[in-house]
C-alpha cells in the first residue's frame, strides 16, 4: 500500500525515556502527568466495570443468590453443585471442541485465502468484500438463514434430494452428536473473512527486499512462505488469536440463533449455561460460579499469551 | 501450495493464465460461493411469496419477485403491540451507535498514544490489565451495570446504552491504536518535543494526522460491534431506546401465526444494511488501515 | 478535566430531564413476550381499552426463548430501580417476586371488582402474595390436549384414541399409511409438555401431583414413573428425525396440512388451526390426551404489577388490572389466543366446541380435585427445579438414556435448590 512506508519493528522497542529539553517547568510537569491523567478515566472505568464487576461476580458465586443478588456468603457450595452437573461438563467440553475447531479453521482458511488473494488477483477488491461481509452481520440476522440451510427437511439435504441425490445425507443440525459442529460451520463462515483481512494486511506489510533476496538465492515459493513469510506474520497471529479467542468464549448469539443449545443440551456452551441459570432459572449463585470458571479459563489463556507477546516486543523480535 | 509449479513470484504481475493460477482462481471463487450462499438465500427468499417458499427449495430463483415483504418489514410488521415495522427502531440504533463509536474511538486513540509513546512505570502491565476487559462475558455485567445505571439515572435511555458500549469498547480501540502507534518512529515524537511541543500538541501535529487508516479500522470495528449488539440493547434499552436488533428479534421470534420467512429475511437484511454499507464503502480502508499497522503487536 | 466524566454528567442531566418530562402523563409500561400473530393482536386490544380510558400504553415487548430474554430485562430493570408498571409473570414466579418486595398491592382494583368470587380458587391463589392481589390473570390454557387431523385418521383407518394402547395402535396405522404419526418440535419445553401429559395419562392426577408438583422422591423413582418414561420412549419412535429445534407452530402446521396425524400441545395450538381457516370437529379434532379426560393441566398467563412511586401511574396500574379482568377483554383476548377466560361469567356464545369443552372440564376437574398446574409451563415448581427437570427430559428425548437412568436423574433434578 502506497501511503505507508514506516518500518514496523523498530519503534516497537519502546523505552520509557522521554527527556524534555529546554521547557518551562510547568510544561515539564504537565508532560509528566498528562499521560497518566489521560489514561486515568480508562483505568477507573476498567477498575469499576471490569475488575469491580468480576469481584461482584466472585462474591455472588460464594452466596446462595437465587432470583436477585443476595450478598450473604455461604461458601463454595455453588462450585460443588456446578461440578456435579453433567450439563456444565457438556458445555465446557463443547467450548473446547468449538473453540479449538473454530480457531483452527479460521486461521487455516483465513491464511490460505490471504495468500491466494495476495497473488495479484484481478478482482481482489470484489472478492475481499465478499469474504469480509459476513462480519458485518449479526447472528440474530444470519442464524435464521443458517438454521434453514442446515435443516435436513428444508435446506441442503432437501435440495439435494430434489435434485435426485437421494442418498445425500446431512443432518448434523438435528443430531445430538454433531450439532456443535454446525455451530463451527456458521462461526467460521462469519469470522474467517475478517481473519483473511488481518493476514492480508500482514502480508502486505512484509518487506519486499527480504523476499526478493531469498528468491535470488533460489528458494522456491513454498519455502519462502514457510521460512520467511509465515514467521514474519507472528504478531498478526497474536492479534488474530486474541480476536478469535474473544469471539469463541463469548459466543452466545451464534448458538442461540442456530440451535439454542439443542438438541437437548448437546450444543450448550458456557455462555448459554450461565445466562440460563443466572436469569431464567433463578440460580444466580450457580450462574456466577460458572462465570468465574469462564473467566479463569480466559486468564489461563490470556496471561501467558500477553506475557510472551510483550516480552517478544521488548526483545525487538 | 497450488502456486509452487509456476514461476510467478508473489510480487510479479501475474497475468499469464497458467494451471496454477486457474487453481487459485477456482479456489477463490469456491470460497466466494460459500460466503455468498446465505446472502443469496436471504435475498431470494425475501422477494418470494410465502406459497413459493413452501413449494420451492431454498436455492430456486424467485419466479415473480415482489417487494411486499420488504415494505412490510420496514413499516408495518408487528414487533409487539406496535406494528410499525423496523423503521422507528432504526433511529434509536443510530442515536446509540454514532456517539458510542466516536467517543470510544477518540478515547482509544489517546490511550494508544500514551501507551505507545508516553510509557511510564507500569504502563505495560496496565495495558495487559486493560486487555482483560476484551474478554469479560457480557452476561456477567448485566446486573451490576443495571444497578449503577439506575443510580446514575441512565437506565433505559440511549445515553445509558452509549455509556455501556463506550466502557466495553475502549479495550479493543486502545489495543488497535496502541499497536498502530508503536509503528510511528519514536524519533518523530522526540523531534516534535525538542521543538517545544507538549503532550497534546505532539498528538495533534504528529500523531493525529497519521491516524486516518486506524481511525477507519476502529470506526468499522466498533460500528459493527455496537450496531449488532443485542444483549445490552434488550436489557438496558427499556421500551424507549430499543435498538433495531431487539425489534428484529421480536419480529423473527414468532410464537404463533404463520412464520413469514420472506418478511423475516427482508427484516434481517434491513437491520444489517448500515453495517453492510459501511463494509462495502469502507472495506478498502479497512484492509489498508490494518496493513498500516493495526495488526502488528 | 476528565472527558468521560463530563460526558457522563451531560448524559445524566439529559436522562433526568427526559424522564422528568415523561412522568406527567398517565401511562403504563408493560413488559411482555406476546409478540406475534394472534397474541400481539390480543394485547393490542388491551392497549385500545387503556387508551380509551386515557392511559398511554408503552410497549416493552421482548421476544425469544419462552420469555428468557424478557426475564433478564425485567431483572435488570428492577435492580436499576426502575421497574416497568407491569410485566408478564406467572405461576410460582409471582411468589418469588413478591418475596423481593417489589410487587404492588392491587386489592384496590380486586375488591371492588369482586375477583375473589369470580375466580376459581387455584387461579386467585396464584395471583395473591400474602393474601393480597399482586397480579391480574389473563387466561387459562389447558395443556393436556391431543390435536388430530381427521383426514389422516380416516385415510389410515384409525380412530381417535382415548387410551395408550389405542394411541399406539392409531400411530402404527398412520405410520403404515405413510404419515408422520406425531408432529413434534424438539425444544426442551415441548419435550416437557409431552412428558407431563404422558405422566398424567399413565399415572393419573394423584400421581402427577405427587411426582411433579410435590416432588416426592419415592414417586419420582417409582414404577409408574418408569412406565411414564417407557411410554415417552415409545412415542419418540413416531416422531420424525427433523423435529430438533422445530417451533411448535411448525409442528402444528404439519397436522394442519395433513403431513402428520397428531400433536400433543396446549390449546394455543388452536389459534393456528383457526388462523388457517379450519373448524373444530370438522377439520381438526381436540381430544384430551390418552387417559387424561378426567383431569386438566392448566397454564395461566398473568400480568403482575410492580411498585411505582408516581400516584398517576399507580392509578393507571389499577385501571390496567380492571381492564384485564373485564369481560370484554377476557372474551376478545381468549378468542384470539385459543384459551378460555379466567372468569366463568363471560358469554360462551362466540367460543368454539374445544373452548367450551375446556370450560366444562375445568369446572368438573376442579370439583373432582384433578385440576393440576402444568410443570412444563412454570405453574407447578420454581424455575430452578423446572429447568433441571427439563434438562433431564430433553436429554431423555435426545439420547439413548434408559428409563431407569432417567428416573434417577429426575429425582436428582427435583432436589435442585
Amino acid at each position: 500500500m502506497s501511503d505507508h512506508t514506516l518500518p514496523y519493528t523498530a519503534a516497537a522497542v519502546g523505552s520509557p525515556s522521554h527527556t524534555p529539553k529546554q521547557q518551562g517547568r510547568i510544561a515539564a510537569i504537565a508532560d509528566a502527568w498528562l499521560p497518566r491523567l489521560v489514561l486515568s478515566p480508562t483505568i477507573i472505568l476498567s477498575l469499576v466495570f471490569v475488575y469491580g464487576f468480576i469481584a461482584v461476580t466472585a462474591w455472588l458465586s460464594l452466596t446462595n443468590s437465587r432470583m436477585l443478588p443476595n450478598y450473604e456468603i455461604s461458601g463454595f457450595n455453588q462450585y460443588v453443585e456446578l461440578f456435579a452437573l453433567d450439563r456444565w461438563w457438556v458445555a465446557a467440553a463443547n467450548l473446547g471442541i468449538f473453540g479449538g475447531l473454530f480457531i483452527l479453521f479460521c486461521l487455516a482458511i483465513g491464511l490460505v485465502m490471504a495468500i491466494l488473494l495476495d497473488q495479484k488477483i484481478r478482482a481482489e477488491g470484489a472478492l475481499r468484500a465478499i469474504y469480509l461481509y459476513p462480519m458485518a452481520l449479526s447472528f440474530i440476522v444470519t442464524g435464521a438463514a443458517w438454521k434453514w440451510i442446515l435443516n435436513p427437511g428444508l435446506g441442503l439435504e432437501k435440495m439435494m434430494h430434489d435434485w435426485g441425490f437421494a442418498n445425500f445425507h446431512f443432518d448434523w443440525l438435528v443430531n445430538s452428536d454433531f450439532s456443535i459442529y454446525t455451530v463451527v460451520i456458521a462461526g467460521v463462515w462469519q469470522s474467517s473473512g475478517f481473519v483473511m483481512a488481518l493476514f492480508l494486511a500482514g502480508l502486505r506489510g512484509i518487506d519486499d527486499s527480504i523476499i526478493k533476496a531469498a528468491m535470488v538465492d533460489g528458494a522456491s515459493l513454498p519455502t519462502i512462505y514457510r521460512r520467511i513469510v509465515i514467521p514474519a506474520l507472528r504478531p498478526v497471529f497474536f492479534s488474530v488469536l486474541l480476536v478469535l479467542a474473544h469471539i469463541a468464549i463469548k459466543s452466545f448469539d451464534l448458538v442461540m440463533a442456530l440451535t439454542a443449545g439443542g438438541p437437548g443440551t448437546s450444543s450448550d456452551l458456557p455462555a448459554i449455561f450461565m445466562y440460563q441459570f443466572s436469569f431464567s432459572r433463578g440460580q444466580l449463585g450457580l450462574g456466577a460460579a460458572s462465570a468465574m470458571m469462564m473467566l479463569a479459563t480466559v486468564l489461563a489463556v490470556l496471561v501467558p499469551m500477553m506475557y510472551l507477546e510483550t516480552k517478544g516486543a521488548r526483545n525487538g523480535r | 501450495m497450488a502456486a509452487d509449479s509456476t514461476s510467478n513470484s508473489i510480487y510479479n504481475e501475474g497475468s499469464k493464465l497458467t494451471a496454477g493460477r486457474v487453481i487459485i482462481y477456482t479456489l477463490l471463487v469456491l470460497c466466494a460461493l460459500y460466503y455468498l450462499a446465505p446472502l443469496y438465500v436471504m435475498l431470494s427468499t425475501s422477494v418470494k411469496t410465502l406459497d413459493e417458499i413452501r413449494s420451492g427449495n431454498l436455492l430456486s430463483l424467485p419466479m415473480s419477485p415482489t417487494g411486499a415483504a420488504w415494505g412490510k418489514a420496514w413499516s408495518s410488521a408487528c414487533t409487539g403491540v406496535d406494528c410499525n415495522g423496523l423503521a422507528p427502531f432504526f433511529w434509536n440504533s443510530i442515536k446509540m451507535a454514532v456517539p458510542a463509536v466516536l467517543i470510544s474511538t477518540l478515547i482509544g486513540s489517546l490511550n494508544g498514544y500514551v501507551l505507545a509513546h508516553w510509557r511510564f512505570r507500569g504502563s505495560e502491565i496496565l495495558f495487559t490489565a486493560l486487555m482483560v476487559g476484551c474478554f469479560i462475558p457480557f452476561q456477567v455485567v448485566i446486573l451490576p451495570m443495571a444497578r449503577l445505571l439506575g443510580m446514575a439515572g441512565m437506565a433505559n435511555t440511549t445515553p445509558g446504552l452509549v455509556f455501556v458500549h463506550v466502557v466495553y469498547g475502549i479495550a479493543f480501540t486502545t489495543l488497535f491504536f496502541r499497536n498502530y502507534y508503536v509503528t510511528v518512529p519514536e524519533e518523530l515524537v522526540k523531534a516534535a518535543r525538542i521543538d517545544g511541543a507538549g503532550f497534546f500538541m505532539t498528538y495533534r501535529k504528529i500523531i493525529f494526522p497519521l491516524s486516518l487508516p486506524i481511525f477507519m479500522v476502529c470506526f468499522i470495528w466498533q460500528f459493527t460491534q455496537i450496531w449488532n449488539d443485542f444483549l445490552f440493547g434488550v436489557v438496558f434499552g427499556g421500551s424507549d431506546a430499543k435498538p433495531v436488533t431487539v425489534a428484529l428479534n421480536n419480529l423473527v421470534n414468532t410464537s404463533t401465526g404463520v412464520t413469514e420467512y420472506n418478511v423475516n429475511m427482508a427484516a434481517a437484511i434491513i437491520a444489517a444494511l448500515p453495517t453492510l454499507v459501511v463494509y462495502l464503502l469502507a472495506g478498502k480502508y479497512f484492509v489498508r488501515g490494518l496493513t498500516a499497522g493495526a495488526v502488528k503487536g | 478535566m476528565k472527558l468521560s466524566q463530563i460526558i457522563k454528567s451531560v448524559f445524566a442531566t439529559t436522562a433526568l430531564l427526559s424522564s422528568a418530562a415523561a412522568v406527567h402523563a398517565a401511562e403504563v409500561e408493560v413488559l411482555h413476550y406476546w409478540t406475534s400473530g394472534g397474541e400481539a393482536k390480543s394485547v393490542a386490544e388491551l392497549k385500545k381499552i387503556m387508551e380509551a380510558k386515557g392511559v398511554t400504553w408503552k410497549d416493552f415487548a421482548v421476544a425469544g426463548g419462552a420469555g428468557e430474554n424478557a426475564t433478564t430485562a425485567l431483572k435488570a430493570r428492577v435492580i436499576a430501580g426502575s421497574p416497568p408498571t407491569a410485566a408478564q409473570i406467572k405461576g410460582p414466579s409471582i411468589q418469588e417476586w413478591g418475596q423481593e418486595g417489589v410487587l404492588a398491592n392491587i386489592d384496590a382494583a380486586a375488591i371492588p371488582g369482586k375477583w375473589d368470587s369470580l375466580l376459581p380458587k387455584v387461579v386467585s391463589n396464584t395471583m395473591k402474595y400474602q393474601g393480597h392481589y399482586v397480579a391480574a390473570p389473563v387466561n387459562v390454557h389447558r395443556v393436556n390436549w391431543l390435536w388430530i387431523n381427521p383426514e389422516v385418521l380416516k385415510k389410515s383407518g384409525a380412530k381417535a384414541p382415548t387410551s395408550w394402547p389405542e394411541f399406539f395402535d392409531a400411530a402404527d396405522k398412520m405410520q403404515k399409511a405413510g404419515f408422520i404419526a406425531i408432529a413434534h418440535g424438539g425444544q426442551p419445553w415441548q419435550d416437557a409438555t409431552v412428558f407431563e401429559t404422558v405422566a398424567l395419562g399413565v399415572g393419573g392426577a394423584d400421581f402427577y401431583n405427587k411426582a411433579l408438583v410435590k416432588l416426592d422422591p419415592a414417586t419420582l423413582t417409582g414404577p409408574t414413573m418408569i412406565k411414564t418414561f417407557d411410554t415417552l420412549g415409545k412415542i419418540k419412535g413416531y416422531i420424525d428425525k427433523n423435529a430438533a429445534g422445530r417451533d411448535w407452530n411448525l409442528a402444528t402446521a404439519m397436522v394442519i396440512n395433513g403431513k402428520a396425524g397428531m400433536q400433543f400441545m396446549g390449546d394455543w395450538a388452536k389459534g393456528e388451526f383457526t388462523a388457517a381457516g379450519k373448524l373444530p370437529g370438522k377439520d381438526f379434532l381436540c381430544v384430551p390426551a390418552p387417559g387424561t379426560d378426567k383431569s386438566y393441566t392448566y397454564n395461566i398467563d398473568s400480568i403482575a404489577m410492580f411498585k411505582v412511586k408516581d400516584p398517576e401511574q399507580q392509578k393507571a396500574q389499577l385501571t390496567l388490572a380492571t381492564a384485564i379482568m373485564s369481560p370484554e377483554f377476557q372474551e376478545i383476548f381468549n378468542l384470539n389466543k385459543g384459551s378460555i377466560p379466567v372468569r366463568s361469567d363471560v358469554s360462551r356464545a362466540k367460543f368454539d366446541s374445544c373452548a367450551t369443552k375446556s370450560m366444562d372440564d375445568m369446572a368438573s376437574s376442579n370439583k373432582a380435585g384433578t385440576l393440576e398446574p402444568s410443570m412444563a409451563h412454570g405453574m407447578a415448581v420454581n424455575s430452578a427445579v423446572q429447568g433441571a427437570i427439563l434438562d433431564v427430559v430433553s436429554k431423555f428425548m435426545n439420547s439413548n438414556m434408559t428409563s431407569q437412568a432417567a428416573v434417577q436423574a429426575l429425582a436428582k433434578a427435583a432436589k435442585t435448590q
Side-chain angles (χ1 to χ4, degrees):
Chain A
M1 291 285 121
S2 54
D3 58 341
H4 177 61
T5 50
L6 303 170
Y8 74 95
T9 44
V13 199
S15 66
S17 63
H18 35 79
T19 43
K21 271 206 157 181
Q22 300 294 328
Q23 284 184 348
R25 264 179 65 94
I26 298 167
I29 292 169
D31 277 1
W33 286 100
L34 269 176
R36 290 174 172 80
L37 202 62
V38 165
L39 217 49
S40 57
T42 305
I43 294 170
I44 292 167
L45 288 179
S46 163
L47 268 180
V48 175
F49 293 97
V50 176
Y51 291 94
F53 287 2
I54 290 176
V56 171
T57 309
W59 186 285
L60 284 178
S61 76
L62 300 175
T63 68
N64 274 333
S65 296
R66 301 190 53 81
M67 202 170 67
L68 293 177
N70 151 16
Y71 293 98
E72 206 173 304
I73 293 273
S74 75
F76 287 91
N77 51 347
Q78 299 288 10
Y79 290 90
V80 175
E81 198 181 326
L82 180 71
F83 295 148
L85 270 179
D86 287 347
R87 194 178 153 180
W88 165 251
W89 294 110
V90 170
N94 276 341
L95 179 62
I97 296 172
F98 168 71
L101 290 177
F102 169 74
I103 291 176
L104 195 75
F105 277 107
C106 280
L107 280 177
I109 294 177
L111 185 59
V112 168
M113 284 196 313
I115 291 175
L116 292 181
L117 259 193
D118 200 31
Q119 310 293 324
K120 296 285 168 199
I121 292 302
R122 219 165 276 218
E124 192 201 308
L127 284 171
R128 218 173 41 199
I130 290 172
Y131 298 160
L132 210 50
Y133 90 89
M135 197 71 187
L137 307 178
S138 91
F139 249 98
I140 303 280
V141 172
T142 50
W146 274 108
K147 201 168 162 178
W148 209 17
I149 294 173
L150 295 170
N151 186 304
L154 298 167
L156 205 60
E157 189 175 295
K158 175 175 182 279
M159 191 183 81
M160 296 304 266
H161 290 181
D162 288 354
W163 286 353
F165 301 96
N167 291 326
F168 183 83
H169 199 64
F170 188 69
D171 66 348
W172 287 7
L173 189 71
V174 296
N175 185 326
S176 299
D177 296 330
F178 291 101
S179 54
I180 187 71
Y181 300 104
T182 60
V183 183
V184 177
I185 294 178
V188 169
W189 175 81
Q190 191 178 40
S191 305
S192 51
F194 180 68
V195 174
M196 181 278 304
L198 291 171
F199 276 126
L200 190 60
L203 288 172
R204 297 277 152 85
I206 293 173
D207 197 350
D208 287 14
S209 56
I210 309 171
I211 295 169
K212 290 239 169 75
M215 286 178 58
V216 170
D217 290 347
S220 70
L221 203 54
T223 315
I224 293 177
Y225 270 107
R226 213 176 54 237
R227 290 288 186 72
I228 301 174
V229 176
I230 292 175
L233 289 177
R234 212 200 106 180
V236 186
F237 273 99
F238 172 72
S239 300
V240 169
L241 278 177
L242 204 68
V243 170
L244 288 179
H246 139 93
I247 295 174
I249 287 175
K250 284 194 194 164
S251 276
F252 178 74
D253 296 3
L254 171 60
V255 189
M256 282 316 259
L258 199 59
T259 64
T265 53
S266 60
S267 57
D268 203 12
L269 283 178
I272 293 182
F273 179 97
M274 198 230 126
Y275 187 71
Q276 283 194 346
F277 278 80
S278 300
F279 298 109
S280 49
R281 294 202 179 171
Q283 291 178 278
L284 200 53
L286 190 66
S290 69
M292 290 314 289
M293 295 314 296
M294 279 171 73
L295 280 167
T297 316
V298 168
L299 288 183
V301 176
L302 185 67
V303 168
M305 230 165 93
M306 288 300 288
Y307 176 73
L308 285 177
E309 187 51 32
T310 46
K311 203 175 139 201
R314 238 174 265 125
N315 295 338
R317 274 191 296 273
Chain B
M1 210 62 299
D4 59 352
S5 63
T6 76
S7 59
N8 284 328
S9 113
I10 31 173
Y11 294 103
N12 272 352
E13 284 300 328
S15 48
K16 288 175 292 178
L17 204 67
T18 62
R21 292 197 70 77
V22 170
I23 294 172
I24 291 179
Y25 274 100
T26 313
L27 280 175
L28 286 172
V29 170
L30 282 179
C31 283
L33 290 179
Y34 167 61
Y35 287 104
L36 283 176
L39 186 66
Y40 169 77
V41 170
M42 288 163 68
L43 271 176
S44 66
T45 306
S46 73
V47 295
K48 288 179 187 171
T49 61
L50 270 178
D51 288 333
E52 206 182 333
I53 294 170
R54 266 194 225 105
S55 57
N57 74 34
L58 82 169
L59 282 192
S60 55
L61 279 169
M63 305 307 275
S64 49
T66 158
W70 284 73
K72 186 167 180 192
W74 176 249
S75 57
S76 68
C78 295
T79 54
V81 168
D82 303 321
C83 296
N84 303 319
L86 291 182
F89 304 98
F90 226 74
W91 179 230
N92 283 346
S93 271
I94 291 172
K95 273 196 297 193
M96 166 188 83
V98 171
V101 169
L102 289 178
I103 296 168
S104 61
T105 308
L106 196 68
I107 297 178
S109 172
L110 284 169
N111 287 346
Y113 169 56
V114 170
L115 289 170
H117 291 288
W118 294 81
R119 296 182 193 183
F120 48 86
R121 183 188 281 273
S123 66
E124 285 289 322
I125 293 168
L126 268 179
F127 175 59
T128 308
L130 275 182
M131 285 309 102
V132 173
C134 298
F135 283 91
I136 186 165
F138 288 156
Q139 292 85 1
V140 166
V141 307
I142 291 174
L143 295 184
M145 185 55 114
R147 165 59 54 83
L148 291 187
L149 285 180
M151 290 192 318
M154 293 200 289
N156 320 315
T157 61
T158 300
L161 271 177
V162 170
F163 178 75
V164 176
H165 281 298
V166 168
V167 165
Y168 293 105
I170 292 179
F172 258 106
T173 56
T174 302
L175 173 75
F176 283 145
F177 276 103
R178 182 262 186 192
N179 286 357
Y180 178 80
Y181 288 148
V182 291
T183 68
V184 176
E186 192 99 347
E187 292 74 34
L188 273 178
V189 178
K190 276 199 183 126
R193 304 186 55 205
I194 290 166
D195 292 347
F199 178 83
F200 282 114
M201 188 65 95
T202 312
Y203 177 77
R204 226 173 61 206
K205 287 277 158 70
I206 306 291
I207 300 290
F208 189 74
L210 288 173
S211 306
L212 181 68
I214 192 64
F215 266 105
M216 293 306 293
V217 171
C218 268
F219 283 151
I220 295 175
W221 171 269
Q222 281 295 90
F223 186 73
T224 313
Q225 297 291 314
I226 295 170
W227 185 275
N228 286 338
D229 163 74
F230 170 73
L231 190 63
F232 286 158
V234 77
V235 295
F236 301 132
S239 45
D240 294 330
K242 259 189 250 167
V244 73
T245 43
V246 176
L248 174 69
N249 174 63
N250 285 356
L251 197 154
V252 172
N253 268 305
T254 52
S255 51
T256 58
V258 182
T259 311
E260 294 180 292
Y261 287 110
N262 48 2
V263 177
N264 288 357
M265 293 296 168
I269 301 171
I270 290 174
L273 223 42
T275 43
L276 275 177
V277 167
V278 164
Y279 267 76
L280 288 182
L281 292 185
K284 195 165 67 184
Y285 299 99
F286 191 58
V287 176
R288 193 174 294 171
L290 290 171
T291 311
V295 296
K296 286 148 197 162
Chain C
M1 192 61 191
K2 290 166 209 152
L3 184 62
S4 64
Q5 217 73 57
I6 300 173
I7 292 159
K8 203 175 156 182
S9 57
V10 169
F11 283 161
T13 341
T14 44
L16 279 177
L17 286 177
S18 57
S19 62
V23 163
H24 292 293
E27 63 169 25
V28 284
E29 186 183 15
V30 185
L31 187 151
H32 64 91
Y33 43 94
W34 289 312
T35 47
S36 57
E39 292 178 340
K41 230 190 291 165
S42 316
V43 190
E45 292 300 330
L46 188 56
K47 179 184 175 177
K48 251 188 249 160
I49 295 174
M50 293 303 286
E51 274 168 359
K53 293 183 177 173
V55 179
T56 321
W57 175 283
K58 247 165 88 181
D59 195 41
F60 190 4
V62 179
E68 213 160 79
N69 292 328
T71 316
T72 312
L74 180 61
K75 284 181 186 171
R77 288 289 298 268
V78 170
I79 286 197
S82 61
T85 329
Q88 186 185 353
I89 306 176
K90 62 187 194 181
S93 300
I94 296 175
Q95 305 303 316
E96 292 181 67
W97 282 104
Q99 279 158 27
E100 300 292 339
V102 290
L103 294 185
N105 182 339
I106 50 167
D107 280 347
I111 291 168
K114 303 202 174 64
W115 291 14
D116 269 336
S117 58
L118 286 170
L119 295 173
K121 200 112 184 98
V122 282
V123 180
S124 60
N125 282 348
T126 318
M127 300 304 130
K128 285 179 185 174
Y129 176 68
Q130 292 183 343
H132 299 289
Y133 279 98
V134 290
V138 175
N139 60 8
V140 180
H141 281 295
R142 184 182 198 178
V143 180
N144 59 326
W145 283 114
L146 182 67
W147 304 89
I148 303 176
N149 182 325
E151 195 74 15
V152 174
L153 214 55
K154 213 163 68 196
K155 278 184 191 156
S156 35
K159 67 183 189 75
T162 55
S163 67
W164 289 108
E166 280 179 35
F167 173 80
F168 287 114
D169 180 58
D172 278 332
K173 284 180 175 155
M174 285 174 185
Q175 218 167 30
K176 269 205 202 93
F179 297 103
I180 295 168
I182 301 166
H184 180 68
Q187 293 172 334
W189 72 266
Q190 292 188 57
D191 292 342
T193 302
V194 179
F195 165 72
E196 72 170 26
T197 304
V198 172
L200 186 69
V202 168
D206 269 353
F207 163 75
Y208 179 95
N209 189 279
K210 260 196 207 153
L212 298 178
V213 182
K214 302 219 169 75
L215 302 171
D216 172 49
T219 316
L220 282 171
T221 52
T224 316
M225 191 49 94
I226 290 182
K227 207 172 146 206
T228 301
F229 274 106
D230 286 344
T231 312
L232 190 64
K234 213 167 156 196
I235 288 176
K236 241 175 21 176
Y238 296 95
I239 297 169
D240 66 313
K241 66 159 188 166
N242 295 335
R246 179 189 287 145
D247 286 323
W248 68 269
N249 51 327
L250 298 181
T252 307
M254 291 164 65
V255 178
I256 293 175
N257 59 33
K259 255 195 193 161
M262 308 179 274
Q263 183 188 18
F264 292 100
M265 191 46 65
D267 49 19
W268 46 94
K270 200 180 69 194
E272 294 291 296
F273 285 101
T274 36
K278 306 289 179 187
L279 295 172
K282 184 169 156 282
D283 304 310
F284 68 94
L285 308 178
C286 51
V287 297
T292 66
D293 61 331
K294 292 278 180 295
S295 27
Y296 192 111
T297 37
Y298 63 83
N299 171 20
I300 302 169
D301 284 315
S302 47
I303 301 275
M305 305 295 169
F306 282 80
K307 277 184 186 156
V308 286
K309 288 190 199 87
D310 180 30
E312 277 295 314
Q313 260 190 292
Q314 287 168 0
K315 251 171 53 201
Q317 205 167 40
L318 296 178
T319 314
L320 177 67
T322 309
I324 290 171
M325 272 294 281
S326 69
E328 309 88 75
F329 172 72
Q330 289 280 334
E331 181 178 11
I332 197 147
F333 184 93
N334 289 299
L335 281 172
N336 276 329
K337 205 163 178 287
S339 42
I340 59 170
V342 288
R343 47 195 289 173
S344 45
D345 61 344
V346 176
S347 155
R348 289 185 170 202
K350 288 186 188 149
F351 287 91
D352 60 26
S353 57
C354 295
T356 46
K357 178 161 173 52
S358 178
M359 293 172 193
D360 292 341
D361 286 357
M362 186 177 173
S364 62
S365 60
N366 193 20
K367 270 195 206 109
T370 55
L371 186 60
E372 297 293 342
S374 162
M375 182 278 302
H377 297 276
M379 302 302 297
V381 292
N382 72 36
S383 43
V385 176
Q386 185 205 355
I389 294 178
L390 257 61
D391 281 350
V392 174
V393 173
S394 73
K395 187 167 178 207
F396 179 82
M397 292 294 280
N398 289 290
S399 70
N400 302 323
M401 204 180 200
T402 63
S403 302
Q404 265 76 17
V407 295
Q408 293 306 328
L410 196 64
K412 199 175 142 196
K415 288 198 197 103
T416 304
Q417 283 301 304

